[in-house]
Amino acid sequence: MERKIKVIHVIADSELGGGPKHVLGLIKNLDRKKFDIFLVCPAGWLSREVKEMGNAGVFNLAFKSKFDWVSLIRFREIVGK
């Protein structure tokens, strides 16, 4: 049996809009037989939608800015799992 490839989608916006809709489309259409799918995003619309689908791991992480060291350290911990 082949190992699945892990795919982590990271987005700093979880509200209804173009970027989150695009990420949701990617998550919906990836082949679960080939990929383990994870999403890292703030709590919000996207997070709820993906949790309801139940086919991807969801980690809620609020990004204050691209220089938010606390969030970057937490992200590193998530990826390590």
Side-chain angles (χ1 to χ4, degrees), residues 19-71:
K21 283 184 178 180
H22 177 71
V23 170
L24 181 62
L26 292 171
I27 291 171
K28 281 182 177 179
N29 292 299
L30 280 173
D31 185 352
R32 262 113 220 101
K33 292 176 186 169
K34 295 180 183 179
F35 301 102
D36 282 330
I37 305 163
F38 302 92
L39 171 66
V40 178
C41 69
W45 174 83
L46 178 60
S47 175
R48 287 188 303 274
E49 290 291 316
V50 173
K51 284 179 183 176
E52 285 178 15
M53 286 180 0
N55 56 2
V58 178
F59 297 92
N60 292 126
L61 180 63
F63 299 94
K64 295 180 180 107
S65 75
K66 62 183 174 182
F67 301 109
D68 181 3
W69 294 106
V70 173
S71 293

